[in-house]
Amino acid sequence: MQVSNQVLLRGKVQERQVLAYTPAGTPVSRFQIAHQSVQVEAGRQREVQCTIEAVALGPLATELDRLPGDVEHTFSGFLAAKSLRYPRPILHVTAVLNETSI
């Protein structure tokens, strides 16, 4: 059985690091996504705020490096451990969706 690992999160880009490159020359963008919304849990509305670490690779990293930080965007991707040493999950962004594709 294949288990799904898909995340869709709307938020603003924060704490963007300088665009880096892997030894193979692949662009890497590391940043944080600040999310704020109202969700329903146990039949009650709840205000939700969180910040999640994120990374993007390849051409998307270059695109993300130019996204304005003062505008909300919808990010699609998957969660994975930061590294073997630091198992805390980070969001690997695979797409930035526009309003018409949601």
Side-chain angles (χ1 to χ4, degrees):
M1 179 175 97
Q2 185 176 7
V3 177
S4 180
N5 178 358
Q6 297 177 336
V7 175
L8 193 63
L9 183 69
R10 185 158 181 81
K12 295 180 181 180
V13 174
Q14 285 189 335
E15 296 189 29
R16 187 184 339 233
Q17 294 181 9
V18 174
L19 188 66
Y21 293 86
T22 67
T26 304
V28 179
S29 179
R30 295 183 187 282
F31 54 100
Q32 292 185 349
I33 300 171
H35 169 80
Q36 189 173 330
S37 67
V38 175
Q39 301 295 319
V40 177
E41 183 177 38
R44 298 180 95 81
Q45 286 193 342
R46 175 181 176 203
E47 287 189 30
V48 176
Q49 294 181 7
C50 67
T51 302
I52 187 166
E53 238 182 295
V55 64
L57 300 168
L60 182 59
T62 307
E63 180 185 327
L64 281 166
D65 197 52
R66 295 190 299 261
L67 279 182
D70 59 343
V71 178
E72 284 194 341
H73 306 280
T74 301
F75 302 91
S76 175
F78 61 92
L79 294 174
K82 184 171 185 171
S83 67
L84 290 174
R85 195 174 207 176
Y86 301 101
R88 182 178 71 243
I90 65 170
L91 177 62
H92 287 251
V93 175
T94 56
V96 178
L97 308 175
N98 59 36
E99 295 303 315
T100 58
S101 64
I102 299 174

